[in-house]
Amino acid sequence: MGIFDSLMKAAENTIKKEATKAVTGAAQSIGKGKNRSERFTFSSLPTSLSELQALPEATLDSPFKTAALTLAVLCRYKEDCDATFEMLDFLKGPENVSAYEKQFIKERLEEKFYKPFSFFNGATPENGYKPSTPYTIAIYENPYSFDNENWATLWVKSGGGDNMRSIKLRKKPSTGQWFLNEIQCLSDIRVPASEDPWA
């Protein structure tokens, strides 16, 4: 093989490598999400609107913060559903929790108040979904989380479910804040071991 052939072969290999790198990079950056997650820790969960607003995450300047607060607020439902809806109104920004949404939450949580707790670290069916303290929760994005401008779909993992569940959020461009749009993570999970006749 002559020098010219060697140079051609080297050039072809370089082009192939760069093309492969470019295709891989493009595939990994479809959408704006990068499969990252953010963790939030609360020494206690908010029980009122004033407690919620006092938390540093209440700036709502990232959809991750709003998603984490949504689950923290839902943990209050059993003790005080009115306070829960007042806090959810704050997280929904320009809108209020609709009658339909209130009914949806009631149906999903009645007799299953453990569901929102199941998204926090340490909560399992075996311990009745009692999270570790301080309360820690991870919020995940995927490559499609930010496909639509000013909208986000983020994901949470329940200690009693096999699949990730979603929360939909919407950005208000004039303030840069992210507000709750739709709670999509309250489908059924494994019942606590104490309630499971087969446990």
Side-chain angles (χ1 to χ4, degrees):
M1 185 185 290
I3 286 181
F4 181 73
D5 290 331
S6 297
L7 289 171
M8 282 296 287
K9 190 87 170 159
E12 281 174 18
N13 287 340
T14 302
I15 289 167
K16 277 183 192 169
K17 273 185 198 166
E18 290 304 314
T20 302
K21 203 188 294 180
V23 169
T24 304
Q28 288 172 345
S29 62
I30 290 172
K32 295 174 188 161
K34 303 294 181 195
N35 287 323
R36 70 190 179 93
S37 65
E38 289 190 19
R39 289 186 172 276
F40 298 90
T41 300
F42 305 100
S43 55
S44 61
L45 299 176
T47 62
S48 66
L49 180 59
S50 58
E51 286 184 17
L52 174 66
Q53 291 173 324
L55 293 171
E57 293 82 6
T59 54
L60 310 182
D61 55 357
S62 99
F64 293 88
K65 291 178 181 178
T66 308
L69 290 177
T70 298
L71 272 308
V73 162
L74 286 171
C75 289
R76 185 65 180 161
Y77 186 79
K78 180 182 179 182
E79 307 303 327
D80 190 341
C81 62
D82 290 335
T84 301
F85 289 134
E86 187 180 22
M87 290 188 279
L88 287 175
D89 280 342
F90 171 75
L91 295 177
K92 284 185 70 72
E95 299 175 351
N96 287 329
V97 182
S98 68
Y100 168 80
E101 288 170 317
K102 287 180 181 180
Q103 184 61 29
F104 175 84
I105 291 168
K106 181 183 177 187
E107 287 171 4
R108 293 299 182 281
L109 294 186
E110 204 155 26
E111 305 307 318
K112 297 178 181 178
F113 302 113
Y114 52 80
K115 279 186 190 176
F117 291 97
S118 78
F119 296 100
F120 288 84
N121 279 10
T124 65
E126 290 71 32
N127 67 12
Y129 295 111
K130 186 172 172 52
S132 320
T133 51
Y135 300 90
T136 303
I137 189 168
I139 310 294
Y140 301 86
E141 68 176 330
N142 69 19
Y144 310 101
S145 285
F146 296 92
D147 269 1
N148 298 312
E149 189 177 5
N150 296 325
W151 290 88
T153 300
L154 298 179
W155 300 84
V156 286
K157 180 86 173 78
S158 166
D162 297 321
N163 301 316
M164 302 277 271
R165 287 122 192 273
S166 60
I167 298 176
K168 196 171 182 182
L169 305 117
R170 184 176 183 180
K171 184 179 184 180
K172 186 177 179 183
S174 61
T175 64
Q177 291 173 299
W178 286 87
F179 294 108
L180 172 64
N181 179 258
E182 194 176 344
I183 299 168
Q184 303 167 326
C185 59
L186 295 180
S187 51
D188 281 345
I189 57 175
R190 288 185 282 280
V191 297
S194 60
E195 297 177 22
D196 184 358
W198 293 98

